Amino acid sequence: MRSEVAGLPGNPERPNEDWAAAVLPASGAGGALVLLDGVTPPAGEVGCVHAVPWFTARLGGALTELSASRPDLTLSEILSLAIRRTAGLHADTCDLSHVRTPQATVVLARWDASSVDHLVLSDSVLLLRAPDGSVRAVRDDRLDRIPREALRSHAAADRLRNREGGFFTAAADPSVAERAVTGTTPRAGVAALAALTDGASRWVERFGAGDWTECAELLAREGASALLRRVRALETADAAAGGGRRGKVHDDATCVYVEL
């Protein structure tokens, strides 16, 4: 198994709020990857004394351990249990019912000799590359389906966050695991996997520098760090041309690439 994990902070003066891991269980059979994109809250009350990196480190650590050690659980059950564990670590100090309590997008994948299981929650993406080079992008597109005007303010977004008709992230409610996009692919049909936060997937989704197949080819040829460097170069050029007005110039960008 060849794997690479790469990440860049959106601002070098602030920590990267993402979490990423690729693991090979002690049995040597199969493996797993975990990717979280921490949701940066707007300024103001969030109901929690902990920063987003505290949350993603603990949720990511629980997901990594459970994905590698509990083959008897589905990925949805693993996400539910990891959320419950993490919530238990600060339930006595924080208001976990607050809509802006620390939260993250989630990508999980786990494989053995027969199959590859996957789970995606919110706007990170998982790429499954077949032996023939074809690529399938697994996405949770609920956020994309919300009209932009419905997200015009933080308060408007809060009304849709973890609500029916809106979008879902991993926060403090274990039942959100039932909302994730899940599936299974025969192991013989997957040669490589790549998980990208939305800061990394900008190469395709914002700048149109290539499609998902070309993105997977770039990762296979040059690796995850090369993809992130290309994203940063595109962001810098776009900002210089005035395109930075479309949103923050740089975002935390993280990618996990695994060849099985």
Side-chain angles (χ1 to χ4, degrees), residues 7 74 76 100 132 135-136 204 210 219 248 250:
T74 67
S76 293
R100 294 180 186 167
D132 66 2
V135 174
R136 177 161 63 101
V204 173
L219 289 168
K248 51 188 172 183
H250 302 301

Side-chain angles (χ1 to χ4, degrees), residues 5 16-23 33-38 53-65 104-105 107-108 197 252 254-256:
V5 178
N16 189 336
E17 295 175 332
D18 301 340
W19 165 279
V23 296
L33 69 79
V34 178
L35 179 73
L36 304 180
D37 183 351
W54 179 95
F55 173 78
T56 52
R58 281 149 186 81
L59 180 61
L63 288 168
T64 303
E65 184 267 316
T105 74
V107 176
L108 300 177
T197 63
D252 292 344
T254 303
C255 176
V256 184

Side-chain angles (χ1 to χ4, degrees), residues 37 105 121-125 140 143-144 196-198 201 205:
D37 183 351
T105 74
L121 183 69
S122 200
D123 61 353
S124 292
V125 62
D140 174 0
L143 190 56
D144 295 340
L196 299 84
T197 63
D198 64 344
S201 66
E205 296 183 310

Side-chain angles (χ1 to χ4, degrees), residues 8-16 232 250 252:
L8 290 173
N11 182 338
E13 297 180 1
R14 296 185 52 164
N16 189 336
R232 285 292 183 264
H250 302 301
D252 292 344

Side-chain angles (χ1 to χ4, degrees), residues 71-194:
D72 56 309
L73 298 179
T74 67
L75 294 184
S76 293
E77 290 169 335
I78 284 171
L79 177 57
S80 178
L81 179 55
I83 291 173
R84 187 177 295 109
R85 281 188 183 180
T86 305
L89 295 175
H90 62 144
D92 292 338
T93 58
C94 305
D95 176 12
L96 303 188
S97 67
H98 197 291
V99 69
R100 294 180 186 167
T101 193
Q103 52 205 269
T105 74
V106 181
V107 176
L108 300 177
R110 181 180 60 186
W111 57 92
D112 57 23
S114 62
S115 62
V116 178
D117 297 327
H118 66 259
L119 177 151
V120 176
L121 183 69
S122 200
D123 61 353
S124 292
V125 62
L126 176 69
L127 304 182
L128 302 173
R129 180 167 63 84
D132 66 2
S134 60
V135 174
R136 177 161 63 101
V138 181
R139 301 177 67 253
D140 174 0
D141 66 354
R142 277 170 287 210
L143 190 56
D144 295 340
R145 287 188 266 126
I146 297 172
R148 292 298 95 186
E149 58 269 20
L151 300 170
R152 64 189 179 280
S153 68
H154 295 308
D158 286 346
R159 289 191 288 271
L160 295 167
R161 189 182 306 278
N162 290 320
R163 298 285 190 275
E164 250 340 300
F167 62 97
F168 295 90
T169 57
D173 180 4
S175 70
V176 76
E178 300 171 5
R179 308 289 187 172
V181 176
T182 61
T184 299
T185 306
R187 169 66 183 80
V190 182
L193 306 101

